[in-house]
Amino acid sequence: MEGVRQGGGPPAGGPGSGSGSASGSFPSLFPPGLHGIYGECRRLYPDQPNPLQVTAILKYWLGGPDPLDYVSMYRNLGNPALNVPEHWHYVSFGLSDLYGDNRVHEFTGTDGPSGFGFELTFRLKRETGESAPPTWPAELMQGLARYVFQSENTFCSGDHVSWHSPLDNSESRIQHMLLTEDPQMQPVQTPFGVVTFLQIVGVCTEELHAAQQWNGQGILELLRTVPVAGGPWLITDMRRGETIFEIDPHLQERVDKGIETDGSNLSGVSAKCAWDDLSRPPEDDEDSRSICIGTQPRRLSGKDTEQIRETLRRGLEINSKPVLPPINAQRQNGLNHDRAPSRKDSLESESSAAIIPHELIRTRQLESVHLKFNQESGALIPLCLRGRLLHGRHFTYKSITGDTAITFVSTGVEGAFATEEHPYAAHGPWLQILLTEEFVERMLEDLEDLNSPEEFKLPKEYSWPEKKLKVSILPDAVFDNPLH
């Protein structure tokens, strides 16, 4: 439950302890982490010391449902010279470490990220006659924060979020999000680490798909060139009725050329997926199937989890050599400014305490496999094949309902345990599939209707008997049932 209050930086005592003051006379009232973020807000908005705030009535660290303690809402006059319209600017407080006493985030030192290392911002075009900011963006930010806290996946600039619903629950075409650096807010060094500011940018479904097929940064750059679709500060207009490709058809050509030249830098997704080993009888639960019917499925080992996590991290580097890191790769925390920002616990096992010791799991070569995806995940298979494997890269599906993972690799990827001699190989519940360029081209032809998923009915099955590979596109309910 949230409430709207007028106030500057929230005091350390939380609700009921007064609105506090942003002046230097009362620095002790502010938790140090919060004070640092609020100082950056004051630098940007010196004339708005007491913005409206949406505040969590019962704080997350007291058992409340909302991870963000506060969301401040500022009125930004824009920049007429740059064709930037007046808008509302929302800033979150809570993804970073505000308190430094381990009530929410583990304190890891001042040199690395504070908490998750970032706060969210959002810029919403101000409607004519609007005297107060709408509060729905605060709930949107809380929803994203819940995802981060529950999954421990962090966001990076260029990431996309498939939301599948108008962001304001209206009839708007703005139903998904991209993330980018806030154009005005600078990183802040707090006593508990560094905080950066990632801005949410609302996009249409067609723009999301383009970001998936190519890359988020490329689409963000296109949005910056279209004033009504975001402009240089990437301001979201929920009343926008046209995509950037409808506004300027030439932009689709730029995307198509980018896909052909660069491929996709989307290296993996959390998905509803599963796989079966068809090489052995299903009753051989001990060693034949990754999805065990009526039993607890195997868990990814800690080192397997880290390798998948590192796989996704390295996949963000467009120009890096396609290499799967060794299974004994060490965990890397913090920010490395020579590469794409690392993802904290990006694919952490839900129950790392119960994992099987890595040395007790052997790699198994499989003769025949059956891959299962829901419709949304299946629609990304052409992207995986055309945008990743044909460019010598890899792509990973990580199950959101368990520890299953499926990684497609091309023959140019080093470090994989799938080989041309044994193209299907498993390490516990992690399956790797190596596909030759010739087979990828054939699969793209056979899977062409996945580009128009609305035209076929579920379930849908594809099979390549000579390759001993079967792919099924199944209803969501199949994956929601633990005994599927």
Side-chain angles (χ1 to χ4, degrees):
M1 183 177 180
E2 300 176 333
V4 180
R5 65 190 286 274
Q6 187 88 32
S17 57
S19 62
S21 169
S23 71
S25 304
F26 304 98
S28 62
L29 290 176
F30 294 84
L34 188 151
H35 195 274
I37 300 170
Y38 185 60
E40 176 62 11
C41 293
R42 284 298 305 272
R43 180 191 67 80
L44 200 57
Y45 299 105
D47 58 338
Q48 300 180 59
N50 298 301
L52 279 173
Q53 288 177 328
V54 176
T55 177
I57 299 301
L58 182 62
K59 296 292 184 278
Y60 191 73
W61 37 273
L62 294 175
D66 300 318
L68 301 176
D69 282 10
Y70 311 93
V71 175
S72 288
M73 304 177 285
Y74 295 91
R75 183 169 179 171
N76 190 304
L77 298 180
N79 188 327
L82 298 176
N83 203 14
V84 175
E86 190 172 345
H87 58 278
W88 304 109
H89 192 193
Y90 300 76
V91 182
S92 76
F93 294 78
L95 284 160
S96 63
D97 191 352
L98 304 180
Y99 304 99
D101 57 7
N102 295 318
R103 73 177 74 178
V104 179
H105 300 281
E106 180 183 356
F107 176 60
T108 57
T110 60
D111 296 333
S114 169
F116 288 106
F118 68 96
E119 293 290 351
L120 293 169
T121 72
F122 182 60
R123 294 173 185 267
L124 177 67
K125 183 180 178 182
R126 177 178 172 268
E127 301 296 340
T128 303
E130 206 169 45
S131 59
T135 58
W136 63 261
E139 179 52 38
L140 181 73
M141 296 165 89
Q142 289 283 16
L144 291 178
R146 290 186 201 104
Y147 166 77
V148 171
F149 273 81
Q150 291 167 9
S151 69
E152 295 190 321
N153 291 348
T154 62
F155 291 127
C156 300
S157 179
D159 280 355
H160 70 268
V161 178
S162 305
W163 200 251
H164 301 290
S165 177
L167 304 188
D168 60 352
N169 294 316
S170 67
E171 299 299 318
S172 174
R173 291 186 70 177
I174 308 300
Q175 302 189 10
H176 308 280
M177 293 166 271
L178 298 178
L179 290 144
T180 188
E181 297 92 350
D182 188 286
Q184 289 186 295
M185 302 193 74
Q186 301 298 316
V188 172
Q189 177 69 59
T190 78
F192 314 130
V194 178
V195 182
T196 60
F197 296 92
L198 283 179
Q199 180 176 314
I200 300 164
V201 182
V203 296
C204 302
T205 298
E206 295 83 350
E207 294 154 357
L208 171 81
H209 289 165
Q212 292 174 328
Q213 298 286 338
W214 184 24
N215 63 72
Q217 296 291 6
I219 301 304
L220 288 165
E221 284 303 315
L222 297 185
L223 290 167
R224 289 186 178 99
T225 68
V226 182
V228 297
W233 291 6
L234 293 170
I235 295 164
T236 299
D237 180 1
M238 294 303 297
R239 295 192 178 186
R240 173 161 69 98
E242 294 181 300
T243 72
I244 57 173
F245 308 114
E246 293 166 338
I247 296 170
D248 184 354
H250 294 294
L251 295 182
Q252 184 63 56
E253 298 175 8
R254 292 177 60 181
V255 173
D256 293 341
K257 184 176 180 180
I259 295 172
E260 181 181 352
T261 303
D262 305 329
S264 171
N265 75 340
L266 180 65
S267 57
V269 292
S270 296
K272 290 186 176 180
C273 63
W275 64 270
D276 285 337
D277 176 6
L278 301 182
S279 314
R280 306 187 185 190
E283 61 269 15
D284 184 5
D285 289 333
E286 179 62 26
D287 199 37
S288 67
R289 298 171 68 107
S290 66
I291 307 300
C292 303
I293 299 178
T295 65
Q296 181 69 21
R298 281 178 170 164
R299 296 193 176 278
L300 288 168
S301 75
K303 291 184 178 179
D304 279 342
T305 294
E306 177 55 34
Q307 187 183 2
I308 296 173
R309 180 188 306 120
E310 192 67 10
T311 294
L312 294 193
R313 282 203 287 251
R314 297 193 181 199
L316 293 174
E317 303 173 67
I318 297 176
N319 297 318
S320 65
K321 185 177 181 180
V323 177
L324 281 168
I327 286 179
N328 62 356
Q330 296 298 309
R331 177 171 178 164
Q332 297 180 16
N333 286 327
L335 297 177
N336 184 329
H337 297 288
D338 295 327
R339 50 181 281 180
S342 62
R343 297 170 178 268
K344 179 180 179 182
D345 297 336
S346 143
L347 287 175
E348 187 65 53
S349 168
E350 292 180 1
S351 179
S352 56
I355 58 177
I356 300 173
H358 175 270
E359 60 274 11
L360 297 183
I361 303 177
R362 64 184 177 87
T363 299
R364 294 177 293 133
Q365 281 81 40
L366 314 179
E367 293 296 323
S368 177
V369 294
H370 182 192
L371 309 182
K372 304 173 184 178
F373 303 94
N374 74 334
Q375 186 168 350
E376 182 180 3
S377 302
L380 292 175
I381 295 177
L383 177 156
C384 161
L385 300 177
R386 180 178 292 109
R388 298 293 298 178
L389 269 65
L390 286 183
H391 289 263
R393 299 173 185 162
H394 48 79
F395 189 91
T396 296
Y397 286 93
K398 170 67 175 67
S399 172
I400 60 175
T401 59
D403 270 354
T404 302
I406 303 169
T407 296
F408 291 88
V409 298
S410 67
T411 52
V413 174
E414 299 177 4
F417 48 79
T419 65
E420 290 193 60
E421 183 180 0
H422 300 288
Y424 312 136
H427 208 267
W430 181 14
L431 174 69
Q432 286 188 8
I433 298 180
L434 187 145
L435 301 176
T436 63
E437 182 175 342
E438 180 183 4
F439 188 29
V440 168
E441 295 282 9
R442 179 182 168 191
M443 289 181 69
L444 282 170
E445 293 181 7
D446 295 341
L447 298 172
E448 187 174 358
D449 56 350
L450 285 180
N451 294 313
S452 304
E454 67 279 357
E455 296 179 4
F456 65 82
K457 296 182 179 181
L458 301 180
K460 182 79 171 180
E461 186 173 294
Y462 306 87
S463 182
W464 298 269
E466 77 285 1
K467 296 290 186 178
K468 299 182 179 179
L469 175 65
K470 183 164 64 172
V471 173
S472 294
I473 312 299
L474 304 170
D476 280 8
V478 173
F479 300 90
D480 296 334
N481 181 353
L483 301 182
H484 72 276

